[in-house]
Amino acid sequence: MTLEQTPSAVLEAQSALLSNFEVLEVLRELGAKHAEQLAAEPGVLFAENLKTIQYEIMQYLASDQSPVGSQTAEQVKNLLEALKPYPLTKSEKLQIINLRPERPVELYVIIEDSEDRGLTDKFDEILSLVANHLPKFPKQQERDSGLTV
Amino acid sequence: MFILSTFRDTLTIIPKDFRKSKLEALSDEINKKFANKVLLSKNASYCRNPTIQHDSNQLKKVVHDVGLCVCLHDIIDTSEEFVHYGDGSSYVKAISQVKFRMIVFRPFIGELLVGKIKTCTPEGVRVSIDFFDDIHIPSTLLKHQSVFDQSEQAWVWHYEPGLLLWMEVDDLVRFRVVSEAFTDITPMSAPRSRGGLLDTNLAGNSAQIPPYQLRCSIQEDGLGPLAWWQDQ
């Protein structure tokens, strides 16, 4: 290995797909690590570009409008297990987890050629599995708790 | 929406960071270098390390592009550190070769995203997802029979006679990624104007085109402002 010949290189542009929830986990861990470092050494500086994108993505993924803010690994795993009988592609499952569809029309745009694949009849089953396994949008959670109080 | 990309890079740890563990110092260095940056795979030029000489002919052509880097996911492998003696003994650095995986924002073509309308113009609609703003829905990929309303500065879908559906700033929209475009915006050598004089306006030269942009569509049923489909 000669250093002269090795500027940065992209070995594999796409090694894997990540769900929004997994990214949020990593960013939260990073935030916790930074908080720890800050406590140990007040005044320590973190790279500004990193803090910016961390803040902005967390704002997007953990907002009222995002369904992934309160997801847990357990829930996602259980849902994937429950969806096994249906012939969904990897990217369709990924989008179901990221978007948490609630209405048939939302599932319709996620699943390609659902009619030809005979999946249209299964929409209600899939939607109820999603509703049972993944936590609701934060907004609805608030609304629900508001009603019970 | 997010992917993992595997990179290899040569990183420098400055003496100030020698007190950190090697992995920690390298993680910080990787994040500092790549977080929130759009990476093109030919980006050897972008990543050039001033302490290392390399021939610009070795820069790779654009084969595939990577996307918007978020942060380090994990370090797979590191080499032994090299210590280079530069000019004067104060200039000591450890250089290490690292193989690592980054989290990268790179929605696949056909992926559905939800974002907020930032601006509406006669050319189309611009959408933001907080950390990324270069998302365009051109007027040709809006619903058929959409009209731009000059007085409201908003798009209206003439769904049926008497029923107008509006797209206004701050509405949440669901859209599909149709295509992506990467542009190398590294400043080039100063271009010559017609008189043979150097044009010094480098910023004007390179800042206009975003390095990574997404072209999206809301033409199908189910796409567009979320409010349109809520009663379905």
Side-chain angles (χ1 to χ4, degrees):
Chain A
M1 180 187 69
T2 54
L3 280 174
E4 280 72 26
Q5 284 178 347
T6 50
S8 86
V10 179
L11 300 179
E12 200 178 355
Q14 184 163 330
S15 315
L17 291 169
L18 285 180
S19 72
N20 291 357
F21 148 75
E22 287 170 292
V23 173
L24 188 59
E25 286 276 279
V26 171
L27 294 177
R28 278 178 176 153
E29 272 168 35
L30 190 69
K33 210 181 87 190
H34 283 175
E36 228 170 73
Q37 285 175 3
L38 202 60
E41 187 187 347
V44 66
L45 290 175
F46 305 105
E48 196 147 325
N49 49 343
L50 177 66
K51 293 310 282 182
T52 305
I53 194 150
Q54 183 200 1
Y55 173 79
E56 288 174 345
I57 293 186
M58 286 182 75
Q59 188 180 321
Y60 178 69
L61 293 183
S63 77
D64 284 358
Q65 313 295 346
S66 161
V68 303
S70 52
Q71 280 178 8
T72 65
E74 189 74 34
Q75 291 165 341
V76 173
K77 214 180 90 197
N78 290 342
L79 174 66
L80 287 176
E81 196 61 39
L83 286 176
K84 260 197 180 145
Y86 305 93
L88 297 168
T89 66
K90 212 166 158 188
S91 58
E92 286 163 350
K93 285 183 207 161
L94 179 73
Q95 293 194 86
I96 288 176
I97 296 166
N98 284 349
L99 299 168
R100 192 187 185 277
E102 294 184 309
R103 303 174 183 81
V105 67
E106 293 170 18
L107 205 52
Y108 174 79
V109 285
I110 293 176
I111 299 176
E112 222 178 309
D113 296 328
S114 47
E115 267 166 63
D116 295 347
R117 288 159 66 192
L119 279 165
T120 319
D121 313 338
K122 307 273 171 28
F123 273 14
D124 287 339
E125 291 171 37
I126 297 176
L127 286 173
S128 71
L129 285 175
V130 172
N132 289 338
H133 284 92
L134 296 182
K136 292 181 182 174
F137 284 78
K139 267 205 161 161
Q140 286 167 321
Q141 288 177 359
E142 259 169 50
R143 216 179 299 148
D144 291 355
S145 61
L147 283 175
T148 49
V149 169
Chain B
M1 184 140 105
F2 297 100
I3 57 167
L4 277 183
S5 297
T6 314
F7 300 159
R8 188 189 58 215
D9 199 5
T10 309
L11 292 163
T12 305
I13 306 170
I14 54 170
K16 182 168 85 71
D17 291 333
F18 284 173
R19 67 195 166 82
K20 296 182 189 170
S21 73
K22 181 179 171 188
L23 282 184
E24 202 181 318
L26 288 173
S27 307
D28 287 351
E29 208 50 42
I30 291 168
N31 279 329
K32 199 160 94 191
K33 191 164 172 181
F34 293 104
N36 210 3
K37 306 229 165 120
V38 170
L39 199 70
L40 286 81
S41 49
K42 70 144 264 201
N43 236 311
S45 60
Y46 158 73
C47 296
R48 177 170 302 163
N49 186 331
T51 59
I52 299 171
Q53 296 280 319
H54 54 73
D55 183 359
S56 59
N57 292 333
Q58 286 176 355
L59 303 188
K60 276 183 234 134
K61 274 190 75 81
V62 179
V63 188
H64 42 214
D65 299 295
V66 182
L68 174 69
C69 292
V70 176
C71 68
L72 177 71
H73 188 271
D74 53 354
I75 291 179
I76 298 168
D77 195 14
T78 67
S79 71
E80 288 294 304
E81 295 99 297
F82 291 78
V83 176
H84 278 217
Y85 297 94
D87 27 5
S89 57
S90 64
Y91 207 61
V92 181
K93 294 173 174 183
I95 294 178
S96 176
Q97 240 204 24
V98 194
K99 194 173 151 196
F100 57 97
R101 293 194 297 178
M102 289 290 288
I103 297 178
V104 175
F105 170 71
R106 175 91 187 270
F108 57 84
I109 302 301
E111 181 159 0
L112 293 166
L113 300 176
V114 175
K116 204 179 252 179
I117 296 183
K118 215 177 144 201
T119 54
C120 292
T121 62
E123 284 77 49
V125 175
R126 222 181 135 137
V127 183
S128 163
I129 52 169
D130 290 336
F131 60 96
F132 186 75
D133 291 341
D134 293 310
I135 301 170
H136 296 271
I137 308 173
S139 56
T140 48
L141 293 177
L142 294 171
K143 297 281 185 197
H144 290 298
Q145 295 178 316
S146 287
V147 177
F148 185 66
D149 187 310
Q150 288 288 355
S151 58
E152 298 283 338
Q153 291 291 305
W155 280 88
V156 203
W157 178 25
H158 291 256
Y159 177 66
E160 55 186 38
L163 180 55
L164 303 183
L165 295 170
W166 290 83
M167 289 182 82
E168 289 169 299
V169 170
D170 282 349
D171 281 354
L172 286 174
V173 281
R174 188 184 297 120
F175 53 92
R176 192 186 293 284
V177 179
V178 174
S179 65
E180 55 188 7
F182 285 91
T183 313
D184 187 358
I185 55 160
T186 10
M188 298 295 157
S189 55
R192 279 171 197 282
S193 65
R194 231 174 275 162
L197 295 167
L198 282 178
D199 183 355
T200 49
N201 184 10
L202 270 182
N205 222 349
S206 59
Q208 303 307 318
I209 311 164
Y212 175 38
Q213 49 186 327
L214 297 171
R215 195 161 158 269
C216 304
S217 162
I218 58 160
Q219 252 164 8
E220 297 156 64
D221 284 346
L223 303 185
L226 299 189
W228 290 0
W229 306 100
Q230 228 124 64
D231 304 326
Q232 292 283 311

